Amino acid sequence: MRAKLSVIIPTLNAETGLMRGLSTLAEGLSAGLIRELVISDGGSEDATLAIAEEAGAEVVTGPPSRGGQLRRGAEMARGEWLLFLHADTMLPPGWADEVLAHLETGRPAYFRLRFDKSGFGASWTAGWANFRSRVCHLPYGDQGLLISREEYDRAGCYPDIALMEDVAMARKLGRRLVPLPVTVTTSADRYTQDGWFRRGARNLSLLLRYRLGADPERLARRY
């Protein structure tokens, strides 16, 4: 029986995060869960593609647009289930067993979130993300998305937009989205560079503007 899961990761000059994130996928290979790894690159000029090749990934390239990259990655993938991850997202020990158990439900799912930094800012931001996901059914891309190929196609695939592709998909899936009892760790670099409050306020502003009809391309330039 062939492994069911295709892992899809969009990249753009992501060498540092990708190296760490790929190491956490080994558990899924050992469990016979992962069929393939697809790297959808947006024009990296660092060692990203070399890392992908060394990992044995299928690689697809195209213009830098996260929505478009995810869409192209899914088009190449052949698994019955798709797991979309950011390059700097690290899966914890035990994730493969939880995902295997969840496949029986058929429902799309996301992970709980934490950051690779400690402190109030990190805890508060992760707590807000987890609250928003549970109450509003609105997880972001750094929480991953586990979805069957059938449901992904039925939802209309990721839109080819530079920003808010994760929000667009989550809104299509709505209450069918459920949390997995697994917490992934993602990089806090952008928050520590910009400041936790400033970055969080900017993200919330972008979300509100998108929901009010703002052009995702303009929002991406601001982001």
Side-chain angles (χ1 to χ4, degrees), residues 42 49 108 153 158 160 220:
L49 294 180
D153 290 341
Y158 273 106
D160 189 356

Side-chain angles (χ1 to χ4, degrees), residues 136 138 164 167 171 206-214 219:
C136 302
L138 199 63
M164 296 295 165
V167 174
R171 292 183 67 192
L206 291 171
L207 173 62
L208 293 174
R209 291 174 63 190
Y210 172 72
R211 293 294 299 270
L212 291 172
L219 295 181

Side-chain angles (χ1 to χ4, degrees), residues 3 24 66 69 79 88 97 112 128 162 198 206 209 211:
T24 66
R66 185 168 282 165
Q69 288 174 237
D88 57 1
D97 287 341
R112 293 194 300 256
W128 160 247
R198 180 180 296 177
L206 291 171
R209 291 174 63 190
R211 293 294 299 270

